[in-house]
Amino acid sequence: MGVEGIPVTKHETGIITTRIDDLIRWGRKNSLWPLPFGTACCAIEFMGVASSVFDISRFGAELVRFSPRQSDLMIVAGTINYKLGPVLRRIYDQICEPKYVVSMGACACSGGFYDNYATIQGIDHIIPVDVFIPGCPPRPDAILNALVKLQERIDREPQRGPRRPVTEHGQTR
Amino acid sequence: MMDPKHTDNPNPESENSPAAADLDLEDETTLEDLDVEPMFINIGPTHPATHGTFRVFCKLDGERIEKAAVEIGFLHRGFEKIVETKHYTQVIPYTDRLNYCSGLVNNVGYCKAVERMLGVTITPRTEIIRVIICEIQRIMDHMICVCANLVDLGALTNFWYFFNAREKLNDLLEALTGARLTYSYIRIGGLAWDFPKGFEANVTEAMKQVPKAIRDVEGLVKKNRIFIDRARDVGVMSAEDAVSYGFTGPCLRASGVNHDLRKKAPYYHYDEFEFDVPLGEKGDVYDRIFVRIEEMKQSYRIVEQALKILPGGPINIDDKNVMLPDKDKVHSSMEELINHFKLVIEGIKPPAGEIYDAIEAPNGELGFYIISDGSGKPYRIKCRPPCFYLMNGLKKLIEGHMVADIVAILAGLNIIAGELDR
Amino acid sequence: MDKLDSIVEELRGELGDAVEAVDRPYGDVVVTVAKARVHDALSLLKARGFSFLLDIAGVDGLHLGRRERFEIVYFLYSLQDDLRLRVKVFVPETDMNLPTMTDLWQAANWAEREAYDMFGFNFDGHPNLVRILCHREFVGHALRKDYPVLKGQWATGTSDLRPDLERE
């Protein structure tokens, strides 16, 4: 089995040993299941990434699952306005830990050029974001770059304990 | 409910079991005698099959939809409010994001309205280039709509066929404009820059993928029994109802009404091109899909003809109140420098008044109603989105059908949320 | 143009003073009708073949210095004769009630909801006059000139979990 990328110790008996944390990290980063929360133009670019020319499945993120119970990476692609804000928060809360959020496109990162009464000026006002992808819309290569950066970030994570501060009601911030 | 005494029961002991004795099934028990409640199901705003975010709330009787309520507005970005604070040229990127599957067509529609307001006539070369670009975008938009529609019906292979062809066309437009989805290539009075040398050969080369992809998809789907069962007589809209609901575009033509702005009110030499307008008979999902596929074939014909008659010459009009001067003159001559300065700081100033202009976008009649107060910023721009009126008709289309038909009907209307909510 | 002129003359004949003006900007024909007779005018036009209601646009003319603050414009198209016509109605700020056109064209249903949401027009007889683009907790009317561009309003909950199916 391919265990490149995690520190292993090879023994002469043909057994390799590693730490549980490293193994879990390896499995987690190479099998992120995205939930494309696509609203606008960036969703079309996400469809382009999923198609065979750019192929996100090379990085393990092939299984696009639209249910928050079945995915662990939420890619917010498109403008989020005030009407959709509570919906986004609700879907984010329904994803089980560990969960990651990628904010794709200028509108999700900061409201884009829609600085007006209708658009939330950045989804990080309502949910915590791990990777921001600039662009309007970002090229599919940029999305793949963001996925690699997220994988590198997962590599650096300590595994014990919750990833983010938890409120007294058990919700993650 | 079957009477246990009459079934072929492989387990004879169960006939005398206590459970069977409790159910008094001597007489015929029909469904009406049972205590049934309607089920309320909410689809969206996040759902794998919604194309964009909107919500359909249904009251179900078993699997049939008794009543439905459609809610939109989840991508309302305040387009009409924010363009009141921008110059006319700065509005062009905002129009790109209206129907983002065919961004250049929105650019053309907006620029055409402003040019009519200014009273300028664009050069012949620009007219034909805009036709070529609009038809390529029409093919790309129909490709996305049809492949998404077929994916919702379960035919996933067509998605790859059409997306591969679309990627080739997208590479072509990326080589021309520099962007992959939101091009903003059209300017008021012309284009941002001319076709590069030899671009016509690239267009012909990329367009070769289109007939092949259409043939592949048609071969898989046209005579497929399952597809016909799922698409024929589903979501039927009669011609009178379609007109009353304000349908335009392929959905109106699928109901049999022959209305295409390229034929009725031709602009940019469309009356000189030979092409047909495909019409449907019944106005069901099957007709909407195949009207779009036929329109792709007609657009291919138009692009072929347009490439043959593409004239040379300048692409921008020679009007210093509208077009920015050449950059080398701006750096060397005072007059051009001041002209450039005024156009960038104050913007193009159409005379005070109001205008409505429409083009045949891939989804229907895309119109812009612009009110100008004589300054460089528009006073009011109202966009007439084709999807808004199609979505209005969705409630009528799905009532009476089953839950699985909702996605088939919805996808056939080609709802682009950017245009629906603006 | 002759067919359109004759229809406009017929409209003038039927309604008399209620047809306040006929303008021809950029080759289009715009008929200004008094608010009290707008439903009669549009019924007449529909009977004369204007089967398409393309759009309903509201306008806040606060800085334009026109007669009244608000205008509402109906865009009509005749499929049989290929004619386009705009019908404009001046609406004062104090009395924003208008009759609904949903009995003439189904397209008016959502178009009027949008005009209500963005400007605050009240359409008497509309089956379901609630906000369509902004969220239900939004206060104010977004496209009015005195509504600031940058003023966003947070929504605290998702929309009605059980909308009233009889009305929608």
Side-chain angles (χ1 to χ4, degrees), chain A residues 37 39-41 44-45 47 51-52 54 66 79 81 83-84 91 113-118 136-137 139-140, chain B residues 46 48 53 71-78 81-82 93-94 97 100 160 163-164 166-167 174 180-182:
Chain A
F37 197 95
T39 41
C41 348
I44 307 287
E45 278 298 357
M47 278 158 69
S51 74
S52 44
F54 292 99
F66 288 90
T79 321
N81 61 1
K83 192 165 184 176
L84 198 56
I91 299 286
F113 62 175
Y114 290 103
D115 190 6
N116 57 16
Y117 65 91
C136 192
R139 278 194 62 99
Chain B
T46 52
T53 41
E71 185 175 350
I72 63 168
F74 295 102
L75 194 61
H76 178 59
R77 298 186 272 200
K81 183 81 178 180
I82 200 157
Y94 288 96
R97 276 110 179 128
Y100 34 79
W160 311 120
F163 246 78
N164 278 345
R166 182 183 169 264
E167 282 293 329
E174 187 185 0
R180 270 179 56 92
L181 196 69
T182 49

Side-chain angles (χ1 to χ4, degrees), chain B residues 26-94:
Chain B
E26 284 289 330
D27 320 19
E28 276 273 323
T29 312
T30 54
L31 211 55
E32 279 77 30
D33 301 335
L34 294 171
D35 203 14
V36 291
E37 271 182 15
M39 183 161 99
F40 293 94
I41 191 171
N42 178 48
I43 299 172
T46 52
H47 184 264
T50 57
H51 298 257
T53 41
F54 33 77
R55 187 174 161 226
V56 179
F57 188 84
C58 309
K59 176 179 172 192
L60 299 177
D61 172 26
E63 185 83 8
R64 295 230 165 248
I65 300 171
E66 268 186 25
K67 281 198 169 295
V70 179
E71 185 175 350
I72 63 168
F74 295 102
L75 194 61
H76 178 59
R77 298 186 272 200
F79 163 76
E80 292 173 0
K81 183 81 178 180
I82 200 157
V83 295
E84 291 172 6
T85 59
K86 308 281 175 200
H87 295 144
Y88 282 91
T89 315
Q90 288 175 322
V91 172
I92 295 176
Y94 288 96

Side-chain angles (χ1 to χ4, degrees), chain A residues 104-146:
Chain A
M104 176 181 164
C107 291
C109 294
S110 66
F113 62 175
Y114 290 103
D115 190 6
N116 57 16
Y117 65 91
T119 312
I120 294 181
Q121 300 295 297
I123 58 167
D124 51 335
H125 285 276
I126 39 179
I127 55 179
V129 175
D130 290 293
V131 184
F132 292 88
I133 314 179
C136 192
R139 278 194 62 99
D141 317 80
I143 304 167
L144 296 173
N145 184 24

Side-chain angles (χ1 to χ4, degrees), chain B residues 193-362:
Chain B
W193 46 76
D194 202 348
F195 271 2
K197 237 189 214 150
F199 191 72
E200 293 83 351
N202 290 353
V203 174
T204 320
E205 187 61 41
M207 292 290 282
K208 282 192 192 139
Q209 307 286 328
V210 174
K212 180 176 181 314
I214 296 178
R215 237 185 356 253
D216 287 338
V217 170
E218 268 192 330
L220 273 181
V221 149
K222 195 164 192 171
K223 303 226 173 95
N224 188 322
R225 184 74 244 164
I226 302 177
F227 174 72
I228 293 178
D229 276 343
R230 283 211 66 181
R232 262 280 174 237
D233 292 327
V234 169
V236 176
M237 186 67 120
S238 67
E240 301 87 52
D241 280 333
V243 169
S244 176
Y245 273 98
F247 275 30
T248 48
C251 295
L252 180 66
R253 296 195 275 276
S255 298
V257 179
N258 188 354
H259 176 59
D260 187 336
L261 282 179
R262 295 175 293 171
K263 293 276 193 196
K264 287 275 179 78
Y267 50 94
Y268 298 167
H269 303 283
Y270 268 112
D271 44 355
E272 293 167 15
F273 294 119
E274 262 186 45
F275 65 101
D276 306 316
V277 174
L279 292 176
E281 293 163 354
K282 293 193 198 170
D284 52 13
V285 172
Y286 187 91
D287 277 338
R288 286 184 205 120
I289 292 180
F290 277 93
V291 160
R292 290 201 165 91
I293 292 182
E294 291 297 321
E295 281 193 7
M296 278 199 260
K297 296 180 189 165
Q298 300 303 319
S299 292
Y300 181 80
R301 279 174 75 187
I302 297 177
V303 174
E304 269 184 335
Q305 294 167 47
L307 282 172
K308 287 197 190 97
I309 70 166
L310 181 65
I315 49 160
N316 288 330
I317 57 172
D318 192 18
D319 186 342
K320 66 178 177 56
N321 294 324
V322 175
M323 299 305 305
L324 291 174
D326 287 334
K327 218 35 182 223
D328 47 351
K329 291 217 187 69
V330 171
H331 290 303
S332 53
S333 156
M334 188 52 138
E335 200 183 280
E336 270 83 4
L337 178 69
I338 295 183
N339 188 11
H340 187 275
F341 179 82
K342 282 182 95 63
L343 274 176
V344 169
I345 297 295
E346 292 173 14
I348 298 170
K349 294 185 188 165
E354 53 186 58
I355 198 170
Y356 174 79
D357 207 28
I359 63 163
E360 183 73 22

Side-chain angles (χ1 to χ4, degrees), chain B residues 81-117:
Chain B
K81 183 81 178 180
I82 200 157
V83 295
E84 291 172 6
T85 59
K86 308 281 175 200
H87 295 144
Y88 282 91
T89 315
Q90 288 175 322
V91 172
I92 295 176
Y94 288 96
T95 58
D96 252 335
R97 276 110 179 128
L98 285 174
N99 182 345
Y100 34 79
C101 296
S102 55
L104 284 165
V105 176
N106 309 328
N107 288 350
V108 169
Y110 170 71
C111 290
K112 182 164 168 282
V114 180
E115 282 154 11
R116 199 168 139 222
M117 208 166 187

Side-chain angles (χ1 to χ4, degrees), chain C residues 18-30:
Chain C
V19 174
E20 291 162 0
V22 176
D23 303 303
R24 283 163 218 274
Y26 303 103
D28 305 332
V29 177
V30 183

